[in-house]
Amino acid sequence: MGTLAVTGETDADQLLLDDPFALLLAMMLDQQIPMEWAFKSPLRLKERIGNDFSAERLAVLNPDAAETAFKEKPALHRFPGSMARRAQDLARHIVENYNGNAAEIWGSANSGEELLARLKALPGYGDEKARIFVALLAKRFGIKPSGWEHAAGPFADDAPRTVADIDSPEALAEVRAWKKAQKAKGKAKSD
């Protein structure tokens, strides 16, 4: 059981804690929209496509149906069409490489570097997002393969800089304040 509390909605946060695919999907969606919006979206998608919410289901869902689910108001992302396609790519990758079991990505990783490489191979995950996810797994779920700190890079520290550091509404406010201060200094969250 993890300690993530980012959405402000009990059901949305609980899905992220219970469902590794939902967590990966939320992290993928966390770009160019508020963090809470991204992390609420897996629950909204689950409600729209039915209780059979899984990587397997999303991977084979008719692309038009997926796009409709992403575009239904409120939209699941600022760019719902392209994110629906990317979400299906992510689901297909998990089905093809991990038999649909998203937790296998970290469950069978022998090191932080292997975990980082697996995350970077996911559709919609670049270097920074993958490093943040390594930190998220370690800080919020206690999943700490050897070398995770190195793999997470600057996100392994105690600065309240990302979703990996959010376990309460107060922590969310601290992350927001930290990001605002970094932006005012002209620095990125990795600085």
Side-chain angles (χ1 to χ4, degrees), residues 108-168:
S108 63
N110 294 313
S111 68
E113 285 305 314
E114 183 179 357
L115 174 56
L116 180 62
R118 288 177 178 192
L119 291 167
K120 287 169 67 172
L122 296 175
Y125 277 69
D127 183 70
E128 184 175 87
K129 190 174 294 257
R131 290 181 187 280
I132 292 169
F133 201 85
V134 169
L136 172 70
L137 289 172
K139 293 177 178 183
R140 304 278 58 93
F141 293 87
I143 298 168
K144 301 177 179 180
S146 65
W148 78 266
E149 297 98 332
H150 178 71
F155 307 107
D157 71 9
D158 292 331
R161 61 177 82 218
T162 70
V163 67
D165 303 299
I166 300 173
D167 62 357
S168 67

Short mmCIF file of all heavy atoms in Angstrom, two decimals, residues 108-168:
data_model
loop_
_atom_site.label_atom_id
_atom_site.label_comp_id
_atom_site.label_asym_id
_atom_site.label_seq_id
_atom_site.Cartn_x
_atom_site.Cartn_y
_atom_site.Cartn_z
N SER A 108 10.05 -7.06 -11.39
CA SER A 108 11.14 -7.95 -11.78
C SER A 108 12.41 -7.21 -12.15
O SER A 108 13.36 -7.82 -12.64
CB SER A 108 10.68 -8.84 -12.95
OG SER A 108 10.39 -8.05 -14.08
N ALA A 109 12.44 -5.91 -11.92
CA ALA A 109 13.66 -5.14 -12.20
C ALA A 109 14.71 -5.45 -11.13
O ALA A 109 14.42 -5.40 -9.94
CB ALA A 109 13.35 -3.65 -12.22
N ASN A 110 15.92 -5.77 -11.57
CA ASN A 110 16.99 -6.14 -10.64
C ASN A 110 17.79 -4.96 -10.11
O ASN A 110 18.60 -5.13 -9.20
CB ASN A 110 17.94 -7.14 -11.32
CG ASN A 110 17.25 -8.45 -11.60
OD1 ASN A 110 16.58 -9.00 -10.73
ND2 ASN A 110 17.41 -8.96 -12.81
N SER A 111 17.58 -3.79 -10.68
CA SER A 111 18.32 -2.61 -10.24
C SER A 111 17.56 -1.35 -10.63
O SER A 111 16.64 -1.38 -11.45
CB SER A 111 19.70 -2.58 -10.91
OG SER A 111 19.56 -2.34 -12.30
N GLY A 112 17.98 -0.25 -10.04
CA GLY A 112 17.40 1.03 -10.39
C GLY A 112 17.63 1.36 -11.85
O GLY A 112 16.75 1.91 -12.52
N GLU A 113 18.79 1.04 -12.36
CA GLU A 113 19.09 1.32 -13.77
C GLU A 113 18.21 0.49 -14.71
O GLU A 113 17.75 0.99 -15.72
CB GLU A 113 20.57 1.07 -14.06
CG GLU A 113 21.48 2.15 -13.52
CD GLU A 113 21.13 3.57 -13.98
OE1 GLU A 113 20.89 3.79 -15.19
OE2 GLU A 113 21.08 4.46 -13.12
N GLU A 114 17.98 -0.77 -14.36
CA GLU A 114 17.09 -1.60 -15.18
C GLU A 114 15.67 -1.05 -15.15
O GLU A 114 14.99 -0.97 -16.18
CB GLU A 114 17.11 -3.05 -14.70
CG GLU A 114 16.25 -3.97 -15.56
CD GLU A 114 16.27 -5.42 -15.12
OE1 GLU A 114 17.00 -5.78 -14.17
OE2 GLU A 114 15.53 -6.20 -15.74
N LEU A 115 15.21 -0.65 -13.97
CA LEU A 115 13.89 -0.05 -13.85
C LEU A 115 13.80 1.22 -14.68
O LEU A 115 12.83 1.43 -15.42
CB LEU A 115 13.58 0.25 -12.38
CG LEU A 115 12.29 1.01 -12.09
CD1 LEU A 115 11.07 0.30 -12.66
CD2 LEU A 115 12.15 1.24 -10.59
N LEU A 116 14.80 2.07 -14.59
CA LEU A 116 14.82 3.31 -15.36
C LEU A 116 14.76 3.01 -16.86
O LEU A 116 13.98 3.63 -17.59
CB LEU A 116 16.06 4.13 -15.03
CG LEU A 116 16.21 5.46 -15.77
CD1 LEU A 116 15.06 6.40 -15.45
CD2 LEU A 116 17.55 6.09 -15.45
N ALA A 117 15.53 2.05 -17.32
CA ALA A 117 15.52 1.70 -18.74
C ALA A 117 14.15 1.19 -19.17
O ALA A 117 13.67 1.54 -20.26
CB ALA A 117 16.59 0.64 -19.02
N ARG A 118 13.51 0.39 -18.35
CA ARG A 118 12.17 -0.12 -18.67
C ARG A 118 11.16 1.02 -18.76
O ARG A 118 10.30 1.05 -19.65
CB ARG A 118 11.72 -1.12 -17.62
CG ARG A 118 12.45 -2.43 -17.68
CD ARG A 118 11.99 -3.35 -16.57
NE ARG A 118 12.66 -4.64 -16.64
CZ ARG A 118 12.29 -5.70 -15.94
NH1 ARG A 118 11.26 -5.62 -15.10
NH2 ARG A 118 12.94 -6.83 -16.06
N LEU A 119 11.25 1.96 -17.83
CA LEU A 119 10.32 3.09 -17.84
C LEU A 119 10.56 3.99 -19.04
O LEU A 119 9.61 4.46 -19.68
CB LEU A 119 10.44 3.88 -16.53
CG LEU A 119 9.93 3.16 -15.29
CD1 LEU A 119 10.38 3.88 -14.03
CD2 LEU A 119 8.41 3.02 -15.32
N LYS A 120 11.82 4.23 -19.38
CA LYS A 120 12.13 5.08 -20.53
C LYS A 120 11.66 4.45 -21.84
O LYS A 120 11.43 5.16 -22.81
CB LYS A 120 13.63 5.37 -20.58
CG LYS A 120 14.06 6.36 -19.50
CD LYS A 120 15.55 6.47 -19.34
CE LYS A 120 16.24 7.07 -20.50
NZ LYS A 120 17.68 7.33 -20.22
N ALA A 121 11.49 3.14 -21.86
CA ALA A 121 11.01 2.45 -23.06
C ALA A 121 9.49 2.57 -23.24
O ALA A 121 8.96 2.24 -24.30
CB ALA A 121 11.41 0.98 -23.01
N LEU A 122 8.80 3.04 -22.20
CA LEU A 122 7.34 3.16 -22.28
C LEU A 122 6.93 4.33 -23.17
O LEU A 122 7.52 5.42 -23.09
CB LEU A 122 6.75 3.40 -20.89
CG LEU A 122 6.91 2.29 -19.86
CD1 LEU A 122 6.38 2.75 -18.51
CD2 LEU A 122 6.21 1.02 -20.31
N PRO A 123 5.91 4.15 -24.01
CA PRO A 123 5.38 5.27 -24.79
C PRO A 123 4.95 6.40 -23.85
O PRO A 123 4.30 6.17 -22.83
CB PRO A 123 4.18 4.66 -25.51
CG PRO A 123 4.52 3.20 -25.63
CD PRO A 123 5.23 2.89 -24.34
N GLY A 124 5.37 7.62 -24.17
CA GLY A 124 5.00 8.77 -23.37
C GLY A 124 5.92 9.06 -22.20
O GLY A 124 5.69 10.00 -21.45
N TYR A 125 6.96 8.26 -22.05
CA TYR A 125 7.91 8.45 -20.95
C TYR A 125 9.27 8.83 -21.50
O TYR A 125 9.88 8.06 -22.23
CB TYR A 125 8.06 7.16 -20.13
CG TYR A 125 7.01 6.96 -19.08
CD1 TYR A 125 5.69 6.69 -19.44
CD2 TYR A 125 7.31 7.03 -17.73
CE1 TYR A 125 4.71 6.49 -18.48
CE2 TYR A 125 6.33 6.84 -16.77
CZ TYR A 125 5.03 6.57 -17.16
OH TYR A 125 4.06 6.40 -16.20
N GLY A 126 9.73 10.01 -21.13
CA GLY A 126 11.09 10.41 -21.45
C GLY A 126 11.97 10.21 -20.23
O GLY A 126 11.56 9.62 -19.24
N ASP A 127 13.18 10.74 -20.30
CA ASP A 127 14.14 10.56 -19.22
C ASP A 127 13.63 11.14 -17.90
O ASP A 127 13.64 10.46 -16.87
CB ASP A 127 15.48 11.19 -19.60
CG ASP A 127 16.53 10.97 -18.53
OD1 ASP A 127 16.98 9.81 -18.37
OD2 ASP A 127 16.90 11.95 -17.83
N GLU A 128 13.19 12.39 -17.91
CA GLU A 128 12.77 13.02 -16.66
C GLU A 128 11.55 12.32 -16.06
O GLU A 128 11.52 12.05 -14.86
CB GLU A 128 12.47 14.50 -16.88
CG GLU A 128 12.12 15.22 -15.59
CD GLU A 128 11.94 16.70 -15.77
OE1 GLU A 128 10.81 17.12 -16.10
OE2 GLU A 128 12.92 17.44 -15.58
N LYS A 129 10.55 12.03 -16.86
CA LYS A 129 9.35 11.37 -16.36
C LYS A 129 9.69 10.01 -15.78
O LYS A 129 9.18 9.62 -14.73
CB LYS A 129 8.32 11.22 -17.49
CG LYS A 129 6.96 10.77 -17.01
CD LYS A 129 5.95 10.78 -18.14
CE LYS A 129 5.67 12.16 -18.64
NZ LYS A 129 4.42 12.74 -18.19
N ALA A 130 10.58 9.28 -16.44
CA ALA A 130 11.00 7.96 -15.94
C ALA A 130 11.72 8.10 -14.60
O ALA A 130 11.49 7.31 -13.68
CB ALA A 130 11.89 7.27 -16.96
N ARG A 131 12.59 9.09 -14.47
CA ARG A 131 13.30 9.31 -13.21
C ARG A 131 12.34 9.69 -12.08
O ARG A 131 12.48 9.23 -10.94
CB ARG A 131 14.40 10.36 -13.37
CG ARG A 131 15.55 9.86 -14.23
CD ARG A 131 16.65 10.90 -14.39
NE ARG A 131 17.65 10.45 -15.34
CZ ARG A 131 18.62 9.59 -15.05
NH1 ARG A 131 18.74 9.09 -13.83
NH2 ARG A 131 19.49 9.23 -15.99
N ILE A 132 11.37 10.53 -12.40
CA ILE A 132 10.37 10.90 -11.40
C ILE A 132 9.58 9.67 -10.97
O ILE A 132 9.29 9.48 -9.78
CB ILE A 132 9.43 12.00 -11.94
CG1 ILE A 132 10.21 13.32 -12.12
CG2 ILE A 132 8.23 12.20 -11.02
CD1 ILE A 132 9.46 14.39 -12.87
N PHE A 133 9.26 8.79 -11.92
CA PHE A 133 8.50 7.59 -11.57
C PHE A 133 9.32 6.65 -10.69
O PHE A 133 8.78 6.03 -9.77
CB PHE A 133 8.00 6.87 -12.82
CG PHE A 133 6.82 5.97 -12.54
CD1 PHE A 133 5.53 6.46 -12.54
CD2 PHE A 133 7.01 4.62 -12.26
CE1 PHE A 133 4.45 5.64 -12.27
CE2 PHE A 133 5.94 3.79 -11.98
CZ PHE A 133 4.65 4.30 -11.98
N VAL A 134 10.62 6.55 -10.93
CA VAL A 134 11.48 5.76 -10.05
C VAL A 134 11.39 6.32 -8.62
O VAL A 134 11.22 5.57 -7.65
CB VAL A 134 12.95 5.74 -10.54
CG1 VAL A 134 13.87 5.14 -9.48
CG2 VAL A 134 13.08 4.98 -11.85
N ALA A 135 11.47 7.65 -8.50
CA ALA A 135 11.36 8.29 -7.19
C ALA A 135 9.98 8.08 -6.58
O ALA A 135 9.86 7.83 -5.37
CB ALA A 135 11.67 9.78 -7.30
N LEU A 136 8.95 8.14 -7.39
CA LEU A 136 7.58 7.91 -6.92
C LEU A 136 7.44 6.51 -6.33
O LEU A 136 6.88 6.33 -5.24
CB LEU A 136 6.61 8.10 -8.09
CG LEU A 136 5.15 7.72 -7.86
CD1 LEU A 136 4.49 8.68 -6.91
CD2 LEU A 136 4.40 7.70 -9.18
N LEU A 137 7.95 5.51 -7.03
CA LEU A 137 7.87 4.14 -6.53
C LEU A 137 8.61 4.00 -5.20
O LEU A 137 8.12 3.35 -4.28
CB LEU A 137 8.46 3.17 -7.56
CG LEU A 137 7.63 2.95 -8.83
CD1 LEU A 137 8.42 2.13 -9.84
CD2 LEU A 137 6.29 2.29 -8.52
N ALA A 138 9.77 4.62 -5.11
CA ALA A 138 10.57 4.52 -3.88
C ALA A 138 9.94 5.27 -2.72
O ALA A 138 9.76 4.71 -1.63
CB ALA A 138 11.98 5.03 -4.13
N LYS A 139 9.57 6.52 -2.94
CA LYS A 139 9.09 7.37 -1.86
C LYS A 139 7.66 7.08 -1.44
O LYS A 139 7.33 7.18 -0.25
CB LYS A 139 9.19 8.84 -2.28
CG LYS A 139 10.61 9.34 -2.44
CD LYS A 139 10.59 10.78 -2.92
CE LYS A 139 11.98 11.35 -3.05
NZ LYS A 139 11.94 12.78 -3.44
N ARG A 140 6.80 6.75 -2.37
CA ARG A 140 5.38 6.56 -2.04
C ARG A 140 4.99 5.09 -1.87
O ARG A 140 3.98 4.80 -1.25
CB ARG A 140 4.49 7.20 -3.12
CG ARG A 140 4.77 8.68 -3.35
CD ARG A 140 4.11 9.64 -2.36
NE ARG A 140 4.44 9.46 -0.98
CZ ARG A 140 5.42 10.08 -0.31
NH1 ARG A 140 6.21 10.92 -0.93
NH2 ARG A 140 5.60 9.86 0.97
N PHE A 141 5.77 4.16 -2.44
CA PHE A 141 5.39 2.74 -2.39
C PHE A 141 6.46 1.85 -1.77
O PHE A 141 6.26 0.65 -1.64
CB PHE A 141 5.06 2.24 -3.80
CG PHE A 141 3.82 2.86 -4.38
CD1 PHE A 141 3.88 4.06 -5.07
CD2 PHE A 141 2.58 2.26 -4.22
CE1 PHE A 141 2.74 4.65 -5.59
CE2 PHE A 141 1.43 2.84 -4.73
CZ PHE A 141 1.51 4.04 -5.42
N GLY A 142 7.61 2.42 -1.42
CA GLY A 142 8.67 1.63 -0.80
C GLY A 142 9.35 0.65 -1.74
O GLY A 142 10.01 -0.29 -1.30
N ILE A 143 9.22 0.86 -3.03
CA ILE A 143 9.85 -0.01 -4.03
C ILE A 143 11.20 0.60 -4.37
O ILE A 143 11.28 1.62 -5.07
CB ILE A 143 8.95 -0.15 -5.28
CG1 ILE A 143 7.62 -0.80 -4.88
CG2 ILE A 143 9.66 -0.96 -6.37
CD1 ILE A 143 6.55 -0.73 -5.93
N LYS A 144 12.26 -0.03 -3.85
CA LYS A 144 13.59 0.56 -3.91
C LYS A 144 14.62 -0.46 -4.39
O LYS A 144 15.41 -0.98 -3.59
CB LYS A 144 13.99 1.09 -2.54
CG LYS A 144 13.06 2.15 -1.99
CD LYS A 144 13.45 2.58 -0.60
CE LYS A 144 12.52 3.66 -0.09
NZ LYS A 144 12.86 4.11 1.26
N PRO A 145 14.65 -0.74 -5.70
CA PRO A 145 15.70 -1.64 -6.17
C PRO A 145 17.07 -1.00 -5.95
O PRO A 145 17.18 0.23 -5.86
CB PRO A 145 15.39 -1.81 -7.65
CG PRO A 145 14.54 -0.65 -8.02
CD PRO A 145 13.82 -0.23 -6.77
N SER A 146 18.09 -1.81 -5.86
CA SER A 146 19.43 -1.26 -5.61
C SER A 146 19.77 -0.22 -6.67
O SER A 146 19.52 -0.41 -7.85
CB SER A 146 20.47 -2.38 -5.59
OG SER A 146 20.57 -2.96 -6.87
N GLY A 147 20.30 0.89 -6.19
CA GLY A 147 20.67 1.98 -7.09
C GLY A 147 19.51 2.87 -7.52
O GLY A 147 19.66 3.68 -8.43
N TRP A 148 18.39 2.78 -6.83
CA TRP A 148 17.25 3.60 -7.24
C TRP A 148 17.56 5.08 -7.12
O TRP A 148 17.10 5.88 -7.95
CB TRP A 148 15.98 3.23 -6.46
CG TRP A 148 15.92 3.79 -5.07
CD1 TRP A 148 16.31 3.17 -3.92
CD2 TRP A 148 15.45 5.09 -4.67
NE1 TRP A 148 16.11 4.00 -2.84
CE2 TRP A 148 15.58 5.18 -3.27
CE3 TRP A 148 14.93 6.18 -5.36
CZ2 TRP A 148 15.22 6.31 -2.55
CZ3 TRP A 148 14.57 7.32 -4.65
CH2 TRP A 148 14.72 7.38 -3.25
N GLU A 149 18.33 5.47 -6.10
CA GLU A 149 18.64 6.89 -5.92
C GLU A 149 19.39 7.45 -7.13
O GLU A 149 19.10 8.54 -7.60
CB GLU A 149 19.48 7.13 -4.65
CG GLU A 149 18.78 6.75 -3.37
CD GLU A 149 19.19 5.36 -2.88
OE1 GLU A 149 19.56 4.49 -3.70
OE2 GLU A 149 19.11 5.14 -1.66
N HIS A 150 20.37 6.69 -7.61
CA HIS A 150 21.11 7.13 -8.79
C HIS A 150 20.17 7.21 -10.00
O HIS A 150 20.23 8.16 -10.79
CB HIS A 150 22.28 6.18 -9.06
CG HIS A 150 23.06 6.54 -10.29
ND1 HIS A 150 23.87 7.65 -10.34
CD2 HIS A 150 23.12 5.95 -11.51
CE1 HIS A 150 24.40 7.74 -11.55
NE2 HIS A 150 23.96 6.72 -12.27
N ALA A 151 19.31 6.19 -10.16
CA ALA A 151 18.39 6.17 -11.29
C ALA A 151 17.40 7.34 -11.22
O ALA A 151 17.05 7.93 -12.25
CB ALA A 151 17.63 4.84 -11.33
N ALA A 152 16.96 7.69 -10.02
CA ALA A 152 16.01 8.79 -9.87
C ALA A 152 16.69 10.15 -10.01
O ALA A 152 16.03 11.16 -10.26
CB ALA A 152 15.31 8.70 -8.52
N GLY A 153 18.00 10.19 -9.86
CA GLY A 153 18.74 11.44 -10.00
C GLY A 153 18.30 12.47 -8.96
O GLY A 153 18.11 12.12 -7.80
N PRO A 154 18.10 13.71 -9.38
CA PRO A 154 17.76 14.76 -8.42
C PRO A 154 16.42 14.53 -7.72
O PRO A 154 16.17 15.10 -6.66
CB PRO A 154 17.72 16.03 -9.27
CG PRO A 154 17.45 15.56 -10.66
CD PRO A 154 18.14 14.22 -10.76
N PHE A 155 15.58 13.69 -8.29
CA PHE A 155 14.25 13.46 -7.71
C PHE A 155 14.28 12.54 -6.50
O PHE A 155 13.27 12.33 -5.84
CB PHE A 155 13.31 12.94 -8.80
CG PHE A 155 13.30 13.83 -10.00
CD1 PHE A 155 13.92 13.44 -11.18
CD2 PHE A 155 12.74 15.10 -9.95
CE1 PHE A 155 13.95 14.27 -12.28
CE2 PHE A 155 12.76 15.95 -11.04
CZ PHE A 155 13.38 15.53 -12.22
N ALA A 156 15.45 11.99 -6.17
CA ALA A 156 15.60 11.13 -5.00
C ALA A 156 15.78 11.94 -3.71
O ALA A 156 15.64 11.40 -2.63
CB ALA A 156 16.81 10.20 -5.18
N ASP A 157 16.05 13.24 -3.84
CA ASP A 157 16.31 14.04 -2.65
C ASP A 157 15.03 14.38 -1.89
O ASP A 157 13.95 13.89 -2.23
CB ASP A 157 17.10 15.31 -3.01
CG ASP A 157 16.29 16.33 -3.79
OD1 ASP A 157 15.06 16.18 -3.92
OD2 ASP A 157 16.89 17.31 -4.27
N ASP A 158 15.14 15.20 -0.87
CA ASP A 158 14.00 15.54 -0.03
C ASP A 158 13.28 16.82 -0.44
O ASP A 158 12.31 17.21 0.22
CB ASP A 158 14.45 15.66 1.43
CG ASP A 158 14.86 14.33 2.02
OD1 ASP A 158 14.33 13.29 1.57
OD2 ASP A 158 15.73 14.32 2.91
N ALA A 159 13.72 17.47 -1.49
CA ALA A 159 13.04 18.68 -1.94
C ALA A 159 11.64 18.32 -2.44
O ALA A 159 11.48 17.33 -3.15
CB ALA A 159 13.83 19.37 -3.05
N PRO A 160 10.64 19.10 -2.08
CA PRO A 160 9.26 18.81 -2.50
C PRO A 160 9.02 19.27 -3.94
O PRO A 160 8.38 20.29 -4.17
CB PRO A 160 8.41 19.60 -1.50
CG PRO A 160 9.27 20.78 -1.17
CD PRO A 160 10.70 20.27 -1.21
N ARG A 161 9.52 18.49 -4.90
CA ARG A 161 9.53 18.98 -6.28
C ARG A 161 8.58 18.30 -7.24
O ARG A 161 8.31 18.85 -8.31
CB ARG A 161 10.96 18.94 -6.83
CG ARG A 161 11.56 17.57 -6.88
CD ARG A 161 12.95 17.52 -7.50
NE ARG A 161 13.97 17.88 -6.54
CZ ARG A 161 15.05 18.60 -6.84
NH1 ARG A 161 15.27 18.99 -8.06
NH2 ARG A 161 15.93 18.89 -5.92
N THR A 162 8.10 17.09 -6.95
CA THR A 162 7.27 16.36 -7.92
C THR A 162 6.18 15.55 -7.21
O THR A 162 6.10 15.51 -5.99
CB THR A 162 8.11 15.35 -8.73
OG1 THR A 162 8.51 14.28 -7.88
CG2 THR A 162 9.31 16.01 -9.40
N VAL A 163 5.39 14.86 -8.00
CA VAL A 163 4.36 13.97 -7.48
C VAL A 163 4.95 12.92 -6.54
O VAL A 163 4.27 12.45 -5.63
CB VAL A 163 3.57 13.32 -8.63
CG1 VAL A 163 4.43 12.36 -9.44
CG2 VAL A 163 2.32 12.62 -8.13
N ALA A 164 6.20 12.59 -6.73
CA ALA A 164 6.86 11.61 -5.85
C ALA A 164 6.91 12.08 -4.40
O ALA A 164 7.09 11.27 -3.50
CB ALA A 164 8.28 11.33 -6.35
N ASP A 165 6.72 13.36 -4.19
CA ASP A 165 6.82 13.94 -2.86
C ASP A 165 5.46 14.26 -2.22
O ASP A 165 5.40 14.90 -1.19
CB ASP A 165 7.67 15.22 -2.93
CG ASP A 165 9.05 14.93 -3.50
OD1 ASP A 165 9.77 14.13 -2.89
OD2 ASP A 165 9.37 15.46 -4.58
N ILE A 166 4.39 13.79 -2.84
CA ILE A 166 3.05 14.17 -2.38
C ILE A 166 2.35 13.01 -1.68
O ILE A 166 2.02 12.00 -2.29
CB ILE A 166 2.18 14.67 -3.55
CG1 ILE A 166 2.84 15.89 -4.21
CG2 ILE A 166 0.78 15.02 -3.07
CD1 ILE A 166 2.17 16.35 -5.47
N ASP A 167 2.13 13.19 -0.39
CA ASP A 167 1.39 12.19 0.39
C ASP A 167 0.23 12.82 1.16
O ASP A 167 -0.41 12.16 1.97
CB ASP A 167 2.32 11.45 1.34
CG ASP A 167 2.96 12.35 2.38
OD1 ASP A 167 2.74 13.59 2.34
OD2 ASP A 167 3.70 11.83 3.23
N SER A 168 -0.05 14.10 0.89
CA SER A 168 -1.12 14.81 1.59
C SER A 168 -1.42 16.11 0.85
O SER A 168 -0.61 16.57 0.03
CB SER A 168 -0.68 15.13 3.02
OG SER A 168 0.38 16.08 2.99
#
